[in-house]
Amino acid sequence: MKILVLVKQTFDTEARITLDEKGQICDKDVNRITNPYDEFALEEAVRIKEKNGAEVVAITLGTEEGEKVLRNALAMGADRAIHITSNLDGLADSRKIAHYLSQVIKGEEADFDLILAGWVAVDNNAALVPGFISEFLQVPLANVVTKLQLQDEMVECEREGDGVSEIISLKLPALVTVQKGINEPRYPTMKNIMAAKKKPIKIINIKELQETEPYTLVKKFYLPVSKGAGKIVVDEGGNSVGELMAFFTEKRFI
Amino acid sequence: MDFRLNETQEMFRDMVRNFARKEVAPLTQELDKKAEFPWKNYKQAAELGILAMTLPEEFGGVEADSISYALAIEELAWASASVADSIMLVEALTYLLHTYGTREQQQKWIPPLVNAEILGSFAVTEPNAGTDAASMQTTAVLDGDCYVLNGTKAFINNAPVADMAIVFAVTDKEKGPRGGITAFIVEKGMPGLSAGKPEDLLGQRSLIVGELIMEDVRVPKENVLGKVGEGFKMAMKCLDNGRIAIAALALGIAQAALDESIKHSKQRVQFGQPIANFQATQFKIANMATEIEAARLLIHKAAFLKDQGVKFSKEAAMAKLFASDLAVRAANEAVQIHGGYGYTKDYVVERLYRDCKITQIYEGTNEIQRVVIARHVYNESE
């Protein structure tokens, strides 16, 4: 069995986002981590490997520093990794990214049985790449899965809907994106960190791959406007109701 | 010259940091209140290989370098000085066993120690022999196949619960520290061995510290660790290594004090604005941050020298002195920034204020560190 895990390098969730003078997101001096949802996917892949035996391959598309997430994946138990290197200029379009990843998968990794990924990346919150990939590869997709079980040629997935949960079955090969709660990702042990240094990372420059046109373009980034202080109405001898009503009316809340 | 960590050092640090922040920190306050040993975290750390990290592969380690080790201790101490201290003790014991022990001694004791199956003690200090370790009164007299040990060791980490202890005793009073002190592996259950009740500690209250009392304890000759008469040298070597670790532990406390102060000063509003806006606060934060950076550089330099296999005693003493004095200053300022809140057990800084003090005392008091440093400096000037 071969399991591919899509991992993405994201900003540390505690990092403060700032824009440079050109309106682009500043990525200098920002601590980067593995997208936490992708760690759930990795953990799930490694658990399947430990239980049934499997080859686990981690794939990322990103800058050279992105190798850190692959080393982390290898330390968590992946067997090897593929790094599509890119400076990410003009790569904000999820379909375009999915296109590159799919191309590589369709090549030497076409014999996969299962692709796992976090359902969303904590940076741009788009949650689009896995969906596009399932389409490019023509495999069934289950999103936001909280429990996963392999049965013969099928994978059974539990999903939490709004007020009701469902169990769906997909024929392998398939792509499953996972949600928080599916497992507790392990910490890599000292030994596995050392072992990860010896595991292979295949590097593919994005320029070697076939290009495609983006479907979307980012027009502008902007930071959320910080909220001003709220208005406090102090009751001094029963005047507060009138004052509040006047405020609400002025703001057109009522 | 390169101040960056290498990829492995960074990965070790990140792993220990994640572990310390997510698994250790949430339990620390409660364990401190109850003065309970951090068993859960201790066992988890063993599973992650942290207890064995500096040892070779055959003992479950990865031969991590001294910088990695210092980084790990700093991160652990950020979350719990008690956890960091317990782990450092294992490092000291396994270092002695691995460096001086026979094959049998290594195989018998290293695996259970690094797997957190047993606890050990390192027993040098006595009620009347602290800084003046050479005035040790515990004796070991050869009688047939055994050494008979008599004496009392004081302030011994884990003594009340230890399964084994490496005990230093006088085998030749004439020779004193120059060839007259020997290390022994003393095992739980040996007749005549007992422990005092745990001390009621000011800080690092999750440690179990007490006296180890030996009354005619017969220790087989095979339990001599290293060569007869080499004990003092071994203990001093161990303390030299330990100084870098204590410095890293103190640094972890200082960093926690700074982080808590930053967080609190941004939230605490007085005179209509966060106290972080006031220069009185900013100056404290600036001083703490600067001194923390300086301490970290000193520690990494000492660790670097050690890894290069060159002399590092002076630098280790400087790192220990500077980082532990800093930890006390930083914890003090952190409580000040927290005001009345910082004086209550609801706030982490109250514990840091207690946890830091011992770092100026153990592994060689800061007074003796200054003596060591001065000696080096004068020698170099000649």
Side-chain angles (χ1 to χ4, degrees):
Chain A
M1 175 162 220
K2 187 197 266 191
I3 305 171
L4 309 181
V5 184
L6 309 177
V7 289
K8 182 180 186 183
Q9 188 175 44
T10 58
F11 284 9
D12 191 331
T13 41
E14 283 172 22
R16 204 155 130 207
I17 311 288
T18 53
L19 300 179
D20 62 19
E21 60 278 4
K22 288 179 193 156
Q24 297 301 305
I25 294 168
C26 289
D27 52 7
K28 300 267 179 291
D29 302 322
V30 178
N31 190 33
R32 289 175 169 83
I33 58 166
T34 304
N35 175 34
Y37 291 97
D38 296 343
E39 286 206 332
F40 297 124
L42 266 169
E43 176 64 32
E44 204 58 24
V46 174
R47 286 188 190 187
I48 294 169
K49 171 184 158 179
E50 285 167 350
K51 204 171 151 202
N52 307 336
E55 186 192 24
V56 177
V57 186
I59 307 179
T60 197
L61 184 157
T63 59
E64 274 171 32
E65 296 99 68
E67 192 188 310
K68 204 173 138 187
V69 303
L70 293 178
R71 287 283 168 219
N72 180 54
L74 295 169
M76 280 178 73
D79 300 289
R80 58 186 174 89
I82 300 170
H83 189 177
I84 307 172
T85 54
S86 157
N87 59 11
L88 296 177
D89 277 352
L91 257 187
D93 182 57
S94 300
R95 183 182 173 276
K96 199 168 170 180
I97 288 169
H99 161 85
Y100 288 120
L101 287 163
S102 303
Q103 248 186 79
V104 169
I105 296 169
K106 272 183 191 166
E108 286 178 24
E109 311 301 336
D111 57 341
F112 70 90
D113 299 283
L114 182 64
I115 301 177
L116 292 173
W119 80 271
V120 68
V122 293
D123 48 8
N124 65 0
N125 272 344
L128 288 170
V129 169
F132 281 124
I133 290 180
S134 77
E135 203 49 37
F136 283 130
L137 301 175
Q138 288 292 298
V139 294
L141 166 74
N143 260 334
V144 203
V145 167
T146 50
K147 202 174 164 189
L148 180 156
Q149 193 144 19
L150 288 165
Q151 288 170 336
D152 304 323
E153 300 294 294
M154 311 289 281
V155 56
E156 205 176 86
C157 301
E158 216 171 293
R159 306 182 59 252
E160 279 171 29
D162 192 3
V164 62
S165 294
E166 63 178 8
I167 296 172
I168 55 173
S169 206
L170 285 70
K171 192 169 184 309
L172 295 177
L175 198 161
V176 176
T177 72
V178 298
Q179 163 70 315
K180 192 177 175 169
I182 191 165
N183 56 42
E184 274 296 326
R186 71 195 62 198
Y187 301 97
T189 65
M190 292 273 167
K191 257 188 194 169
N192 288 343
I193 289 173
M194 290 304 272
K197 283 166 74 176
K198 292 179 193 136
K199 292 180 180 174
I201 297 179
K202 184 178 175 184
I203 293 171
I204 301 169
N205 192 310
I206 200 161
K207 289 176 187 147
E208 297 166 27
L209 300 173
Q210 207 187 341
E211 272 213 68
T212 187
E213 285 307 307
Y215 272 26
T216 57
L217 287 171
V218 177
K219 281 188 79 175
K220 177 187 174 183
F221 291 109
Y222 64 95
L223 300 174
V225 185
S226 60
K227 285 181 196 157
K231 183 178 171 68
I232 297 171
V233 176
V234 182
D235 189 285
E236 285 170 61
N239 63 346
S240 60
V241 174
E243 204 180 318
L244 264 177
M245 292 308 284
F247 176 73
F248 288 158
T249 314
E250 179 202 325
K251 292 281 177 189
R252 295 177 188 275
F253 292 160
I254 49 173
Chain B
M1 189 124 202
D2 190 346
F3 286 98
R4 281 170 303 188
L5 300 176
N6 68 35
E7 192 184 60
T8 311
Q9 290 163 345
E10 208 175 303
M11 283 183 82
F12 284 150
R13 183 202 57 195
D14 290 352
M15 182 275 273
V16 180
R17 179 178 289 177
N18 283 335
F19 166 68
R21 297 187 179 201
K22 288 182 196 150
E23 308 292 330
V24 179
L27 305 182
T28 304
Q29 293 297 99
E30 197 60 27
L31 289 171
D32 172 73
K33 269 182 207 164
K34 294 183 184 161
E36 274 176 18
F37 187 79
W39 269 116
K40 186 176 177 218
N41 294 147
Y42 190 71
K43 289 196 184 272
Q44 285 174 318
E47 277 165 27
L48 291 171
I50 302 172
L51 270 57
M53 67 185 282
T54 58
L55 291 166
E57 206 179 329
E58 63 164 322
F59 293 112
V62 294
E63 287 180 277
D65 60 17
S66 302
I67 291 179
S68 298
Y69 180 60
L71 291 166
I73 294 299
E74 180 192 336
E75 294 299 335
L76 291 166
W78 185 94
S80 165
S82 296
V83 169
D85 229 321
S86 302
I87 289 170
M88 280 164 48
L89 175 55
V90 178
E91 211 273 341
L93 296 170
T94 54
Y95 165 79
L96 286 174
L97 288 162
H98 184 250
T99 312
Y100 303 101
T102 62
R103 203 75 202 130
E104 291 72 34
Q105 288 170 340
Q106 292 175 355
Q107 279 162 349
K108 181 171 180 186
W109 297 110
I110 295 178
L113 280 169
V114 299
N115 292 330
E117 287 156 14
I118 63 166
L119 293 176
S121 284
F122 175 78
V124 178
T125 304
E126 296 183 1
N128 298 315
T131 298
D132 182 13
S135 68
M136 180 178 292
Q137 288 165 343
T138 298
T139 55
V141 178
L142 188 61
D143 177 29
D145 288 342
C146 288
Y147 278 89
V148 181
L149 269 66
N150 276 291
T152 299
K153 296 288 177 180
F155 308 121
I156 304 304
N157 200 351
N158 282 346
V161 289
D163 301 277
M164 63 87 77
I166 296 178
V167 175
F168 295 79
V170 179
T171 39
D172 188 336
K173 206 172 172 197
E174 298 285 289
K175 289 183 185 164
R178 290 173 203 279
I181 292 174
T182 304
F184 297 90
I185 301 172
V186 176
E187 303 176 31
K188 187 181 183 175
M190 284 182 165
L193 180 69
S194 63
K197 68 171 187 3
E199 303 286 354
D200 195 0
L201 301 170
L202 169 70
Q204 303 200 12
R205 290 180 60 79
S206 292
L207 298 176
I208 310 166
V209 176
E211 285 187 337
L212 192 68
I213 304 151
M214 285 151 293
E215 291 163 310
D216 290 329
V217 178
R218 294 184 71 82
V219 180
K221 262 174 150 171
E222 304 89 76
N223 281 27
V224 169
L225 182 63
K227 290 192 185 114
V228 172
E230 290 215 327
F232 193 74
K233 224 163 67 186
M234 288 160 62
M236 289 304 117
K237 189 84 202 294
C238 211
L239 291 178
D240 240 4
N241 294 339
R243 275 172 198 155
I244 299 177
I246 293 294
L249 182 146
L251 175 62
I253 296 175
Q255 183 69 54
L258 173 62
D259 293 346
E260 289 296 321
S261 299
I262 293 169
K263 199 171 75 186
H264 184 78
S265 64
K266 277 157 73 174
Q267 286 164 358
R268 173 71 170 164
V269 173
Q270 287 290 277
F271 304 103
Q273 51 186 316
I275 62 170
N277 288 356
F278 301 128
Q279 276 194 342
T281 310
Q282 290 172 6
F283 283 10
K284 288 187 200 309
I285 298 288
N287 285 341
M288 283 157 93
T290 306
E291 289 176 284
I292 283 170
E293 194 62 27
R296 192 172 286 124
L297 289 172
L298 267 178
I299 291 165
H300 290 184
K301 166 106 183 275
F304 168 82
L305 293 174
K306 182 171 177 245
D307 287 336
Q308 297 294 309
V310 296
K311 282 185 191 160
F312 65 95
S313 290
K314 182 184 79 177
E315 287 76 7
M318 285 175 164
K320 195 273 183 185
L321 168 68
F322 188 75
S324 57
D325 280 354
L326 158 65
V328 171
R329 277 198 301 277
N332 182 37
E333 291 291 41
V335 171
Q336 194 66 26
I337 288 169
H338 280 68
Y341 295 105
Y343 202 64
T344 70
K345 291 198 187 299
D346 293 336
Y347 284 78
V348 168
V349 291
E350 185 272 346
R351 175 178 54 78
L352 299 176
Y353 189 78
R354 290 181 288 105
D355 281 355
C356 64
K357 180 60 201 175
I358 192 66
T359 64
Q360 290 180 314
I361 299 170
Y362 61 14
E363 215 78 9
T365 60
N366 281 8
E367 288 70 22
I368 207 75
Q369 304 300 339
R370 288 182 171 90
V371 171
V372 169
I373 295 164
R375 198 177 291 150
H376 279 286
V377 172
Y378 276 114
N379 283 345
E380 283 165 13
S381 74
E382 275 164 15

